[in-house]
Amino acid sequence: MIKKTILVPLFFIILCTAACEDKTALKTIYKNDFLIGNIITPAYMDGDNFDLLKKHFNIVTCENDMKPDRLAPANKGGAYRWTEADRMADKAKENGMQVHGHVLVWHSQSRAWFTAGTAEEAKENMVNHINTVLDHFKGRVVSWDVVNEAMGDSITDPSDWRSSLRTNSGWYRTLGPDFIELAFRTAREADPDIILYYNDYGLNNRNKAAAVRNMVKEINDKYKAEGNSRNLIDGIGMQGHYGLWLNIGDVRNSLELFSGIGVEISITELDVESRQTNSSEWGVNRNSVMPEPQAQAQANLYAALFRLFREYRDKIARVTFWGMDDKNSWKSVGNPCLFDGNMEPKPAFLAVSNPDDY
Ligand code: G3I
């Protein structure tokens, strides 16, 4: 028989764990839906900023510090630079947050020498980079953006995904469309435990979404036809850099499209600018408090997005914001974040906290 002296403290521990859970934290609000993340940057490593990150989020992505140009040496043969990324990954893990890796293969923020030589050399450079990085972070990073932004922008025939690819990429120029499959196969072999993502922006564009869907499906079908029981590309990351111009039906269309090919989906870089049209001038001023109508319009859109994400919670593994506050955001003039430049929660924060009330 279990003694009363054990049962009583156990009861209080259970009671306290339930009661101590902060019900205003986004990670608590969405705990039954998906992981909820934000970026980690040098500005968010300490003090109140780090506390806010830790309070609300259970997974982080380095905004810049795991990109190829931050890790790989400027010249071939030089030493990799791990200090900043290690500090971020370790601090996140020590504080109970998981880490998503961004990014292994990208045309931007990369190293010119990767693709400066022959196709054989480029292959070798890619394989070495992926192996080096995955080996270094083994056990500390749960998922990686293996390939980022390979798809082009003006797509007329999405059924031909190869000719829809971005051509201003060193990887594409040197290796052609096959660079994508090579990157995923290398990552899978390097570390079978991590979740592999294809990540891109503008996946609310129906043609671009269809081209990505066709690419991922074809690569996964081929991999499975070889006798593999799982996908090669585990997930599609929809970056989610949106503005008030967004047609939310386009986002639903993409969620539906990607759900249909049996991959998981993550929203990987969510922010909603206060611009009214995709091509209009930037929104209100950097670090200012937004005028009420724009703040409310932004909050309404955030709420609508989170109601939609909840509908697809069986398919969506993670929703990550690309920035905490309007002052530090890469698009700070568009005021796209949940907190303003004074770190005060905006209507957008309340909307995400309680989307059904909007
Ligand atoms: O660190 C240097 C600093 O030493 C220097 O004084 C300063 C001068 O401009 O530049 C600093 O580097 C900047 C870096 O952000 C850190 O702030 C770079 O110039 C700037 O280009 C870089 O921008 C990043 C951008 O990617 C580059 O493509 C943004 O922070 C980052 O948010 C953004 O993230 C991308 C995702 O990786 C992929 N999807 C799109 C997203 C937004 O562009």
Side-chain angles (χ1 to χ4, degrees):
M1 205 171 103
I2 306 171
K3 287 189 179 154
K4 206 171 162 189
T5 47
I6 299 175
L7 273 180
V8 172
L10 201 67
F11 174 74
F12 281 110
I13 289 170
I14 293 167
L15 204 70
C16 182
T17 313
C20 295
E21 198 176 43
D22 186 344
K23 295 208 166 56
T24 62
L26 294 179
K27 67 183 178 191
T28 308
I29 294 169
Y30 287 100
K31 70 176 181 190
N32 296 324
D33 302 312
F34 29 70
L35 290 170
I36 190 111
N38 212 317
I39 48 175
I40 187 160
T41 70
Y44 271 85
M45 281 292 283
D46 303 293
D48 292 348
N49 282 2
F50 185 79
D51 290 345
L52 198 64
L53 185 68
K54 181 179 162 179
K55 171 178 174 176
H56 288 292
F57 300 99
N58 46 28
I59 185 160
V60 293
T61 305
C62 292
E63 182 180 23
N64 287 298
D65 289 282
M66 288 189 185
K67 290 174 177 174
D69 70 341
R70 293 291 173 99
L71 299 180
N75 297 301
K76 188 167 183 168
Y80 271 66
R81 299 170 306 171
W82 307 111
T83 316
E84 215 39 45
D86 277 349
R87 238 164 50 85
M88 290 177 174
D90 292 342
K91 183 147 187 184
K93 207 172 170 197
E94 281 159 20
N95 285 275
M97 291 180 278
Q98 298 186 61
V99 179
H100 169 77
H102 175 78
V103 46
L104 294 170
V105 174
W106 191 20
H107 65 279
S108 177
Q109 289 189 280
S110 191
R111 288 299 190 194
W113 60 264
F114 280 169
T115 55
T118 63
E120 276 317 303
E121 285 164 346
K123 265 188 205 168
E124 192 186 296
N125 292 339
M126 181 196 283
V127 169
N128 285 344
H129 178 71
I130 293 175
N131 285 338
T132 305
V133 174
L134 292 195
D135 183 51
H136 183 82
F137 290 109
K138 194 166 175 56
R140 293 190 290 163
V141 174
V142 291
S143 50
W144 271 94
D145 293 329
V146 178
V147 175
N148 193 36
E149 300 176 3
M151 200 50 76
D153 287 320
S154 312
I155 296 171
T156 48
D157 179 11
S159 67
D160 185 359
W161 65 264
R162 287 182 177 78
S163 43
S164 305
L165 291 172
R166 166 192 300 282
T167 52
N168 65 339
S169 150
W171 295 114
Y172 178 87
R173 274 199 304 269
T174 326
L175 298 174
D178 291 346
F179 85 87
I180 297 164
E181 194 177 327
L182 174 68
F184 280 96
R185 283 183 187 268
T186 308
R188 175 65 80 229
E189 276 171 34
D191 187 350
D193 294 333
I194 52 169
I195 307 291
L196 308 181
Y197 266 83
Y198 175 77
N199 192 50
D200 215 328
Y201 66 85
L203 294 186
N204 49 305
N205 175 301
R206 293 189 182 220
N207 273 0
K208 190 164 178 176
V212 165
R213 176 241 179 233
N214 293 338
M215 173 182 81
V216 171
K217 183 174 186 315
E218 187 185 311
I219 292 174
N220 279 345
D221 286 351
K222 180 178 167 197
Y223 189 67
K224 283 188 167 161
E226 292 167 11
N228 295 298
S229 57
R230 65 192 286 197
N231 285 326
L232 178 59
I233 303 177
D234 296 303
I236 297 179
M238 299 170 64
Q239 291 187 5
H241 295 297
Y242 300 138
L244 298 182
W245 40 264
L246 183 73
N247 172 357
I248 204 156
D250 291 337
V251 181
R252 180 186 290 280
N253 172 74
S254 302
L255 292 171
E256 206 46 49
L257 207 59
F258 300 150
S259 298
I261 58 167
V263 290
E264 65 175 56
I265 303 168
S266 284
I267 314 301
T268 55
E269 306 183 11
L270 182 63
D271 51 14
V272 176
E273 286 179 76
S274 53
R275 285 189 300 161
Q276 294 289 352
T277 72
N278 203 355
S279 55
S280 67
E281 275 306 297
W282 296 97
V284 289
N285 288 329
R286 180 189 189 92
N287 191 19
S288 64
V289 174
M290 293 171 76
E292 190 59 17
Q294 276 159 318
Q296 282 308 331
Q298 182 186 54
N300 288 342
L301 184 48
Y302 264 118
L305 282 166
F306 273 82
R307 288 195 299 269
L308 178 64
F309 297 157
R310 266 197 169 144
E311 270 187 60
Y312 283 85
R313 67 173 180 224
D314 292 348
K315 310 289 180 191
I316 294 179
R318 168 174 60 95
V319 177
T320 289
F321 293 87
W322 206 246
M324 183 85 79
D325 73 274
D326 286 344
K327 185 173 153 197
N328 285 295
S329 160
W330 73 296
K331 274 185 178 173
S332 61
V333 281
N335 292 59
C337 297
L338 302 188
F339 291 83
D340 69 18
N342 302 319
M343 305 305 294
E344 294 298 329
K346 294 161 54 179
F349 176 80
L350 299 176
V352 171
S353 301
N354 199 351
D356 291 332
D357 270 5
Y358 270 75

